[in-house]
Amino acid sequence: MPGTARHDRDMAIQAKKNLPKTTDPIEKLRLQCLARGSAGIKGLGRVFRIMDDDRNRTLDFKEFLKGLNDYAVMMDKEEAQELFSIFDKDGSGTIDFDEFLETLRPPMSNARKEVIMQAFRKFDKTGDGVVTIEDLQGVYNAKHHPKYQNGEWTEDQVFRAFLDNFDSPYEKDGKVTTEEFLNYYAGVSASIDTDVYFIIMMRNAWKF
């Protein structure tokens, strides 16, 4: 149901290939995230959220630098400073990390964003903006999973493995927010050229 492994692989290869050619600091960070697959940008978002101790959704330069290091982003301090300055538009010394992640996402047309949100709304049975195992019980049939059929996994384990597709590889909490879902599919979207093909893929995957 999520982006196919082949898309993920193609995108990661493409991102690694383009990395040495780019001088733009935003593009450089975006490509380093996409080189990890569709969940790359979302993973960086998770690292920053963990560091945001006071939950004010902003980061100062020290936190920003630590987040990049924790996520093993290859970037020297000068480049990181340049990147930080681009986002610190008002010169306050802090950046809004929702805005930061939005800019980092590969650009998507409104048609793509709308179909992603349609899928999320189908997924989010309880309508609270967070998808959990409870939501999945209404939309995803675990009984077709080979590991459920051979008795290796319970239904809950199948659901959890499915949610892990969207969760950050470093901080899995079994919950998927709207932002994580968008970040994940922005990664998938980067590997698909046309809106028409992307929309068909989403409709087939989510059956709507």
Side-chain angles (χ1 to χ4, degrees), residues 82-108:
E82 188 188 346
L83 191 58
F84 189 83
S85 305
I86 294 169
F87 289 99
D88 182 16
K89 295 185 185 81
D90 58 0
S92 64
T94 60
I95 59 174
D96 175 315
F97 77 69
D98 288 325
E99 204 178 294
F100 168 71
L101 287 173
E102 216 164 288
T103 309
L104 199 56
R105 271 183 213 144
M108 283 190 291

Side-chain angles (χ1 to χ4, degrees), residues 114-178:
E114 181 47 41
V115 79
I116 293 169
M117 288 316 296
Q118 279 178 318
F120 187 82
R121 287 191 288 270
K122 179 175 179 183
F123 200 15
D124 179 18
K125 274 285 182 238
T126 53
D128 60 357
V130 179
V131 173
T132 58
I133 284 176
E134 189 191 350
D135 289 304
L136 274 186
Q137 284 162 343
V139 276
Y140 181 59
N141 190 344
K143 294 187 169 68
H144 296 312
H145 197 288
K147 288 198 174 175
Y148 178 82
Q149 288 176 341
N150 70 16
E152 207 179 313
W153 282 2
T154 64
E155 224 174 318
D156 269 12
Q157 281 172 304
V158 174
F159 289 141
R160 187 62 198 253
F162 179 70
L163 284 177
D164 281 353
N165 284 306
F166 303 97
D167 234 344
S168 156
Y170 298 98
E171 185 62 25
K172 294 187 188 299
D173 62 0
K175 292 179 183 148
V176 179
T177 63
T178 318

Side-chain angles (χ1 to χ4, degrees), residues 13-24 28 31-32:
I13 291 165
Q14 197 57 42
K16 284 180 187 136
K17 209 184 287 178
N18 291 338
L19 197 52
K21 301 178 208 161
T22 186
T23 52
D24 177 274
K28 199 176 265 192
L31 289 172
Q32 286 201 48

Side-chain angles (χ1 to χ4, degrees), residues 185-197:
Y185 273 113
V188 175
S189 169
S191 68
I192 294 173
D193 293 333
T194 68
D195 282 3
V196 172
Y197 181 61

